[in-house]
């Protein structure tokens, strides 16, 4: 048997029409902490799901602890512990009950499970809360319980999918400590995914950068960082003279720095190892009788790493995760059967709708705003308000009606009376109706009534009528648009 | 598989027992129907020799089954998105047990609810049998129907993969199916086309079977026939749900 805990060769997993994982190769040695580092949608979670037997795959070969995952998934399941992104713990059970059920699913004996629960609870410092309902747990505690349940059957290999996602800094650091100790004390092999550079850096022995379903590069954190840019030491001077320039040139010639770059009075020195290169840099400066005003040391960011190995900034590769779970739930056949199609269909239509409504909003906003903006420049306050109002109007159509109505307070009072006068009669129809409408409004919404009492009478009538006619908004809007703008009326008809 | 089912079933029961109010809520509607229908239709629906109350109670029992079990799939979807299904699946657990434990849990819950409905019906003067054997036989149909509809709901949950259409189907499974069955109105009162629907509607048979065994005089032969039909329905639904679940996974 090899001493490889996980060996993945040419793994490909296809969802619908895109390759979530594309000929991925990965090796994790026994007793190692390996981090899969990449942005959302890079294929991290999919890889973990495939390696946990939760998803099938289209091509490739996977051995976990020397066992072919395709031939004997049951044995693989006994070998691994999995902590998924969502904490799958039951909220209406106690910590102990959660662990008990999980232990039972691994066919463990009750006494053995109880012993193991005590061990794990103690280890994760959950012993005081183990008999409390999970609803009372904090996010960090839930995460710890989740990891503890995954360890109930004493697995040799532990997968952690974004273990610290959504945790505060303190809980995150605490969790890192536990993970590190699990590895050191118990020799657990750990494969974790993350998009935090510090997590990959501080916690893991080796890091594999994954993007678009492929491992771009892997190595120890130091190797990767040295490969990337090196650090940059930035020195700023009061003034740049020939002396400083000579110093910079000397540093480069002398081989202490890889490259130099001037940025005003700041000198960027690229070095392999920032911390250890600062003393010689300062010594040289002292020798050359140069006064250094400030010195700062910048370490490569995740984005730098990414830029180097993927050619794109990590910020551009983000992908919405909202519905990813169904994505991941597609079966072994990936996108080749109805599941895939179904998913695409659902997603496709949804996206379509969104885009349409976006465009539509976009156009509309441009129209409404554009015309009103011109006006707004001539008469700032009043027309500005009416611009807002048009804005709100559109938003209304999208469904956020009431809140926005409430917001355009000034408008109801001033704008109406100012711009219109006449139209008021148009909509009111009859005076009696107005009165009854007014009372309706008072009943309906407190805000509204509070407001109407502040205003002058005609204004309040308007508001009332307005509110009431929301149901028949077509007519009313029609009138209104004609009054205020003329043009946008066309939009409404659309 | 059986031990997996048992442990998972236990888990669901534990959770349910922590929130007993929830299962009580689903009782409200059948209870309301029981009271309203008895008053409303009692005066003009002729049901042969027995009173309408006795005719209707089996219908209400079956209605409770539908309301109780047709939403089982919704919670499956929630569990999937919450990650607890994955938590089970990473363990070497029987895939059949996951579905089976869910529908068993749903059916048991429904049995508890029907017992409460029965108690209320007796309180309202129904002459439904007290004979424990007959009650047990009647409840066995209730149980099987619960399994059947919970399976359908779970199966649809997996096939549709979304909550909204699932809720729609849940609605469609409950009320309309009730009214195109002999639950509240004897078949003879129905227009011809509804009679045809009622004939292929499993609810008709469930109601008929419960009525045959729970109201005196008992009709064992009729009960046996209906029991058989419902059993087939339950097993077929369950098999479909399990195969949908497996197909999704592997």
């Amino acid at each position: 048997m090899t001493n490889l805990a996980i060996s993945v060769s040419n793994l490909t997993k296809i969802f619908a029409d895109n390759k979530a994982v594309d000929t991925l190769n990965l090796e994790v040695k026994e007793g190692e902490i390996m981090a899969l580092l990449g942005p959302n949608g890079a294929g991290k979670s999919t890889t973990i799901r495939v390696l946990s037997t939760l998803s099938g795959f289209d091509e490739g070969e996977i051995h976990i602890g020397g066992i072919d995952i395709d031939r004997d998934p049951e044995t693989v399941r006994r070998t691994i512990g999995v902590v998924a992104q969502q904490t799958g713990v039951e909220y209406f059970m106690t910590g102990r009950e959660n662990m008990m059920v999980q232990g039972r699913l691994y066919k463990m004996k009750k006494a053995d499970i109880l012993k193991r629960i005590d061990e794990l609870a103690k280890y994760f410092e959950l012993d005081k809360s183990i008999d409390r309902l999970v609803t009372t747990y904090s996010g960090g505690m839930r995460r710890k319980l989740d990891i503890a349940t995954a360890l109930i059957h004493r697995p040799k290999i532990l997968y952690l999918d974004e273990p610290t996602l959504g945790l505060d800094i303190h809980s995150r650091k605490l969790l890192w400590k536990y993970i590190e100790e699990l590895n050191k004390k118990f020799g657990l092999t750990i494969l974790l995914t993350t998009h935090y550079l510090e997590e990959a850096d501080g916690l893991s022995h080796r890091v594999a950068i994954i993007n678009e379903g492929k491992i771009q590069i892997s190595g120890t954190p130091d190797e990767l960082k040295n490969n990337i840019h090196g650090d940059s030491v930035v020195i700023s001077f009061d003034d740049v003279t020939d002396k400083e320039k000579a110093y910079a040139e000397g540093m480069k010639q002398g081989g202490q720095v890889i490259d130099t770059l001037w940025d005003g009075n700041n000198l960027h020195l690229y070095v392999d190892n920032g911390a250890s290169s600062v003393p010689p840099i300062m010594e040289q400066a002292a020798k050359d009788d140069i006064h250094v005003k400030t010195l700062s040391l910048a370490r490569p960011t995740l984005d730098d790493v990414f830029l180097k190995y993927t050619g794109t900034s990590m910020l551009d590769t983000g992908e919405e995760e909202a519905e990813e779970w169904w994505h991941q739930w597609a079966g072994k056949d990936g996108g080749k059967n109805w599941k895939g199609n179904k998913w695409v269909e659902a997603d496709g239509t949804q996206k379509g709708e969104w885009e349409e409504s976006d465009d539509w909003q976009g156009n509309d906003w441009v129209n409404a705003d554009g015309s009103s903006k011109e006006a707004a420049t001539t008469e700032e306050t009043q027309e500005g308000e009416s611009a807002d109002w048009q804005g709100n109007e559109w938003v209304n159509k999208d469904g956020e009606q009431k809140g926005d109505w409430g917001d355009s307070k000034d408008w109801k009072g001033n704008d109406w009376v100012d711009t219109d006068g006449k139209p008021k009669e148009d909509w009111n129809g009859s005076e009696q109706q107005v009165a009854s409408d007014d009372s309706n409004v008072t009943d309906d919404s407190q805000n509204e009534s509070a407001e109407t009492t502040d205003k002058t009478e005609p204004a309040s009538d308007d508001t009332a009528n307005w509110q009431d006619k929301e149901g028949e908004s077509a007519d009313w809007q029609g009138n209104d648009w004609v009054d205020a703008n003329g043009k946008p009326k066309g939009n409404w008809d659309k | 598989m059986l031990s997996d089912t048992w442990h998972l079933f236990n888990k669901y029961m534990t959770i349910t027992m922590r929130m007993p109010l929830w299962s009580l809520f689903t009782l409200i509607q059948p209870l309301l129907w029981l009271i309203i229908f008895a008053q409303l239709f009692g005066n003009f629906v002729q049901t042969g020799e027995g009173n309408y109350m006795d005719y209707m109670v089996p219908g209400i029992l079956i209605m409770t089954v539908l309301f109780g079990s047709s939403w089982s799939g919704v919670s499956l979807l929630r569990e999937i998105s919450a990650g607890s299904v994955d938590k089970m699946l990473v363990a070497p657990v029987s895939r059949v047990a996951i579905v089976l434990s869910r529908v068993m849990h749903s059916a048991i819950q429904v049995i508890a609810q029907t017992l409460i409905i029965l108690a209320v019906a007796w309180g309202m003067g129904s002459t439904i049998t007290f004979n424990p054997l007959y009650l047990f036989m009647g409840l066995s149909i209730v149980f099987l129907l619960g399994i059947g509809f919970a399976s359908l709901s779970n199966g649809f949950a997996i096939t549709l993969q979304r909550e909204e259409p699932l809720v729609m189907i849940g609605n469609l499974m409950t009320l309309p199916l009730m009214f195109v069955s002999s639950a509240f109105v004897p078949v003879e009162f129905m227009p011809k086309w509804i009679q045809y629907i009622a004939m292929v509607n499993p609810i008709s048979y469930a109601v008929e079977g419960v009525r045959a065994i729970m109201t005196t005089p008992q009709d064992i032969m009729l009960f046996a026939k209906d029991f058989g039909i419902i059993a087939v329905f339950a097993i077929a639904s369950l098999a479909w749900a399990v195969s949908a679940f497996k197909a999704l996974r592997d």
Side-chain angles (χ1 to χ4, degrees):
Chain A
M1 209 181 98
T2 59
N3 65 339
L4 282 181
I6 302 169
S7 123
V8 180
S9 60
N10 295 318
L11 172 66
T12 300
K13 165 92 183 166
I14 302 168
F15 283 128
D17 50 357
N18 70 315
K19 289 182 178 174
V21 178
D22 186 4
T23 56
L24 180 138
N25 289 291
L26 183 69
E27 287 188 345
V28 183
K29 293 185 201 105
E30 269 176 21
E32 187 175 49
I33 303 183
M34 175 79 157
L36 280 178
L37 177 69
N40 296 336
K44 299 185 304 259
S45 295
T46 310
T47 306
I48 290 282
R49 290 185 66 84
V50 169
L51 294 186
S52 357
T53 74
L54 287 178
S55 287
F57 51 98
D58 295 283
E59 276 163 47
E61 228 174 283
I62 301 171
H63 291 267
I64 308 287
I67 296 150
D68 189 328
I69 205 170
D70 231 6
R71 292 237 178 87
D72 192 0
E74 288 283 296
T75 311
V76 168
R77 284 181 193 129
R78 283 170 211 278
T79 318
I80 58 174
V82 182
V83 181
Q85 251 179 58
Q86 308 105 322
T87 53
V89 290
E90 292 291 345
Y91 281 43
F92 285 92
M93 299 205 296
T94 65
R96 191 186 299 276
E97 286 167 341
N98 263 293
M99 293 173 76
M100 180 54 94
V101 171
Q102 196 71 9
R104 286 295 199 178
L105 295 184
Y106 284 95
K107 322 281 185 286
M108 292 166 71
K109 297 244 160 53
K110 195 175 176 188
D112 189 27
I113 301 174
L114 286 173
K115 203 181 108 203
R116 183 72 176 148
I117 290 174
D118 285 340
E119 264 170 46
L120 287 166
K122 206 170 169 196
Y123 178 74
F124 284 101
E125 294 168 70
L126 286 169
D127 32 358
K128 286 205 183 77
S129 44
I130 196 74
D131 286 314
R132 274 181 13 214
L133 285 187
V134 176
T135 39
T136 65
Y137 283 27
S138 70
M141 285 162 76
R142 242 174 266 147
R143 203 25 86 152
K144 286 196 287 181
L145 177 65
D146 200 20
I147 298 177
T149 41
L151 292 173
I152 191 89
H153 59 293
R154 306 182 179 88
K156 294 199 185 74
I157 301 166
L158 180 66
Y159 302 149
L160 298 162
D161 194 2
E162 303 275 3
T164 61
L165 193 69
L167 294 184
D168 58 62
I169 298 278
H170 177 71
S171 316
R172 179 173 297 164
K173 288 196 169 145
L174 207 63
L175 209 57
W176 287 350
K177 194 197 85 188
Y178 288 121
I179 294 172
E180 208 161 19
E181 277 182 23
L182 281 173
N183 171 261
K184 267 189 197 151
K185 278 192 193 163
F186 307 105
L188 208 61
T189 305
I190 296 175
L191 175 65
L192 62 90
T193 72
T194 182
H195 59 251
Y196 298 115
L197 183 66
E198 327 106 78
E199 197 158 299
D201 194 353
L203 193 58
S204 349
H205 303 137
R206 285 199 306 139
V207 180
I209 291 177
I210 180 170
N211 192 39
E212 290 171 356
K214 279 185 171 151
I215 302 286
Q216 308 289 342
I217 189 169
S218 63
T220 67
D222 285 338
E223 277 168 14
L224 288 186
K225 269 184 288 175
N226 292 339
N227 262 342
I228 291 162
H229 279 277
D231 297 340
S232 81
V233 179
V234 182
I235 307 175
S236 65
F237 304 106
D238 289 325
D239 195 17
V240 180
T241 63
D242 288 344
K243 204 165 67 174
E244 278 84 14
K245 282 181 178 156
Y247 163 74
E249 198 54 36
M251 294 296 287
K252 199 174 169 184
Q253 299 293 329
Q256 289 112 314
V257 301
I258 300 161
D259 205 0
T260 59
L261 185 84
W262 282 98
D263 166 30
N265 285 350
N266 299 325
L267 174 64
H268 294 245
L269 301 163
Y270 292 101
V271 294
D272 273 333
N273 187 323
S276 65
S277 57
V278 167
I281 287 172
M282 292 307 288
E283 272 169 31
Q284 188 61 43
K287 250 185 231 166
D288 292 359
D289 192 27
I290 289 171
H291 175 62
V292 173
K293 197 170 139 202
T294 66
L295 181 146
S296 63
L297 180 60
R299 303 190 58 82
T301 64
L302 180 53
D303 214 27
D304 292 326
V305 179
F306 231 74
L307 213 59
K308 166 106 180 186
Y309 286 104
T310 66
T312 49
S313 166
M314 180 134 171
L315 300 169
D316 300 332
T317 52
E319 191 181 289
E320 79 277 20
E321 256 182 308
E323 308 216 27
E324 208 173 286
W325 63 274
W326 264 122
H327 215 288
Q328 290 166 354
W329 255 68
K332 171 146 190 163
D333 302 307
K336 285 172 189 162
N337 59 6
W338 57 271
K339 296 157 213 155
N341 289 334
K342 193 138 222 167
W343 159 255
V344 169
E345 230 175 72
D347 198 45
T349 46
Q350 261 229 338
K351 265 191 179 170
E353 275 169 35
W354 267 108
E355 273 161 15
E356 261 175 46
S357 82
D358 268 350
D359 280 353
W360 172 82
Q361 275 182 334
N363 288 335
D364 242 333
W365 280 106
V366 173
N367 279 343
D369 263 3
S371 50
S372 59
K373 254 186 188 170
E374 289 168 28
T377 47
T378 53
E379 263 184 297
E380 268 228 304
T381 45
Q382 289 197 354
E383 290 299 323
E385 278 159 19
S386 87
D388 269 345
W389 165 76
Q390 284 166 350
N392 285 335
E393 173 81 270
W394 284 112
V395 171
N396 284 343
K397 230 199 161 184
D398 278 346
E400 296 178 41
Q401 286 204 342
K402 282 179 181 168
D404 278 280
W405 283 119
D407 285 343
S408 56
K409 287 168 188 172
D410 298 295
W411 165 77
K412 283 175 199 156
N414 304 330
D415 226 350
W416 239 183
V417 180
D418 287 346
T419 41
D420 290 302
K422 262 188 190 175
K424 182 182 137 199
E425 291 162 20
D426 280 350
W427 335 308
N428 285 351
S430 75
E431 290 296 304
Q432 285 174 338
Q433 207 188 331
V434 172
S436 67
D437 286 342
D438 201 7
S439 66
N440 271 343
V441 166
T442 328
D443 287 339
D444 282 345
S445 103
Q446 296 240 338
N447 280 342
E448 208 60 44
S449 70
E451 203 161 309
T452 47
T453 48
D454 287 346
K455 307 291 175 189
T456 54
E457 275 198 329
S460 75
D461 283 350
D462 290 341
T463 334
N465 206 37
W466 169 285
Q467 192 78 7
D468 195 55
K469 288 229 174 170
E470 262 184 351
E472 312 161 40
S473 54
D475 287 7
W476 163 81
Q477 282 152 353
N479 286 334
D480 197 37
W481 277 115
V482 175
D483 296 333
N485 264 4
K487 272 184 191 171
K489 192 186 167 192
N491 276 330
W492 277 110
D493 291 338
K494 269 180 198 170
Chain B
M1 183 191 98
L2 287 181
S3 81
D4 285 345
T5 309
W6 172 245
H7 294 306
L8 288 175
F9 172 78
N10 265 343
K11 175 183 112 175
Y12 289 124
M13 285 313 281
T14 312
I15 295 170
T16 306
M17 299 309 273
R18 294 265 151 78
M19 309 181 277
L21 269 186
W22 276 117
S23 16
L24 283 183
F25 276 134
T26 51
L27 266 181
I28 291 174
Q29 216 172 347
L31 275 177
L32 276 179
W33 293 121
L34 179 67
I35 294 158
I36 292 170
F37 281 8
Q39 313 271 316
L40 197 63
F41 297 150
N43 294 330
F44 57 85
V45 177
Q46 293 297 315
T47 56
E49 55 266 35
N51 65 14
Y52 182 66
M53 185 76 183
D54 285 349
Y55 179 82
M56 194 193 63
V57 167
I60 296 289
L61 289 186
I62 296 305
M63 190 181 211
T64 316
V65 176
L66 292 196
F67 282 138
S69 61
S70 296
W71 308 106
S72 176
V74 176
S75 69
L76 175 63
L77 285 187
R78 300 242 166 91
E79 275 189 24
I80 289 174
S81 63
S84 34
V85 172
D86 282 347
K87 195 105 187 148
M88 292 178 230
L89 287 173
V90 295
V93 62
S94 153
R95 272 51 185 156
V96 180
I98 294 175
V99 179
L100 200 59
S101 63
R102 297 186 57 82
V103 298
M104 293 278 284
H105 165 247
S106 184
I108 290 292
Q109 227 178 326
V110 156
I111 293 280
Q113 290 172 349
T114 49
L115 286 175
I116 297 176
I117 298 281
L118 267 180
V120 174
W122 281 322
M124 286 172 70
S126 153
T127 59
I128 292 276
T129 181
F130 279 105
N131 182 322
L133 177 66
Y134 292 147
L135 277 181
F136 177 80
M137 288 164 81
L139 289 181
S140 68
I141 284 193
V142 166
F143 181 79
L144 285 176
L145 194 72
I147 294 269
F149 275 91
S151 300
L152 283 185
S153 179
N154 279 289
F156 280 123
I158 294 157
T159 354
L160 296 170
Q161 307 184 348
R162 273 167 188 278
E163 211 170 304
E164 297 87 349
L166 183 64
V167 169
M168 212 184 68
I169 285 188
N171 275 323
L172 220 102
M173 279 200 302
T174 49
L175 271 187
L177 272 188
M178 282 308 292
F179 283 109
V180 294
S181 75
S182 59
F184 302 118
V185 184
V187 178
E188 310 86 69
F189 280 79
M190 296 173 175
K192 259 274 175 297
W193 67 274
I194 296 188
Q195 287 189 21
Y196 287 127
I197 299 177
M199 246 180 337
V200 294
N201 186 349
I203 294 174
S204 294
Y205 298 101
V207 172
E208 191 182 66
V210 171
R211 200 173 276 146
I213 202 72
M214 282 191 173
T215 53
T216 30
Q218 274 73 25
D219 184 342
I220 303 288
M221 285 314 289
L222 188 60
F223 167 81
K225 182 199 91 181
D226 291 328
F227 181 89
I229 291 173
I230 297 303
V232 168
F233 166 72
I235 290 168
S237 308
L238 183 59
W240 175 64
V242 168
S243 73
F245 194 77
K246 277 185 162 175
L248 187 61
R249 272 304 156 163
D250 309 317

